[in-house]
Amino acid sequence: QVQLQESGPGLVKPSQTLSLTCTVSGCSITTNFYYWSWFRQPPATGLERRGDIAYRGSTYYSQFLKSRTPNTRNTTKNQFTLQLSSVTPEDKAVYYCARSPDHPVVAGTRGYDYWGQGTQVTVSS
């Protein structure tokens, strides 16, 4: 059974860097042809896809976060990480990691087959 688990600080201060890790079990993140993504859902807003890392290690970032979000992965630990620099209160959201069996553009949100439970992140001084 595939499981994804987000971890990271629930509270960060403005201008700091947020680092979230998704630990995957039941499937290697290098397995053909899966994509691993980060989503977030701000209050009273729908899900926003923010970045992907493919089975080969290539990455995609939302244009809104491109300058702030280097996605990385640790294949030994079977983890992938979202880092968001210079956070502001607008980055407050529930952050999810998820797996897609297709390219995210093709899959759309509904094409993701496994999701983490989500982790709440608040930005406040």
Side-chain angles (χ1 to χ4, degrees):
Q1 182 180 1
V2 179
Q3 293 184 322
L4 293 86
Q5 178 66 58
E6 304 91 349
S7 61
L11 176 65
V12 290
K13 295 181 178 180
S15 79
Q16 289 186 336
T17 296
L18 169 66
S19 181
L20 296 174
T21 296
C22 183
T23 301
V24 181
S25 60
C27 177
S28 169
I29 61 174
T30 62
T31 300
N32 296 341
F33 299 94
Y34 291 112
Y35 292 80
W36 306 88
S37 299
W38 284 101
F39 289 81
R40 72 181 188 183
Q41 187 167 21
T45 307
L47 277 172
E48 306 169 345
R49 181 171 135 252
R50 286 312 188 190
D52 319 307
I53 192 162
Y55 55 100
R56 292 179 176 176
S58 56
T59 57
Y60 160 82
Y61 311 120
S62 159
Q63 62 177 339
F64 299 105
L65 295 182
K66 188 172 184 177
S67 63
R68 304 167 56 201
T69 313
N71 287 1
T72 60
R73 68 177 186 174
N74 184 322
T75 56
T76 300
K77 294 183 178 180
N78 214 37
Q79 298 174 331
F80 61 103
T81 300
L82 170 72
Q83 287 189 326
L84 189 60
S85 62
S86 304
V87 296
T88 70
E90 285 68 39
D91 292 311
K92 174 183 177 179
V94 179
Y95 286 76
Y96 299 90
C97 55
R99 185 189 84 166
S100 172
D102 295 310
H103 191 285
V105 173
V106 175
T109 302
R110 295 185 177 183
Y112 283 77
D113 56 1
Y114 288 97
W115 293 79
Q117 64 182 20
T119 186
Q120 174 71 55
V121 173
T122 300
V123 180
S124 175
S125 56

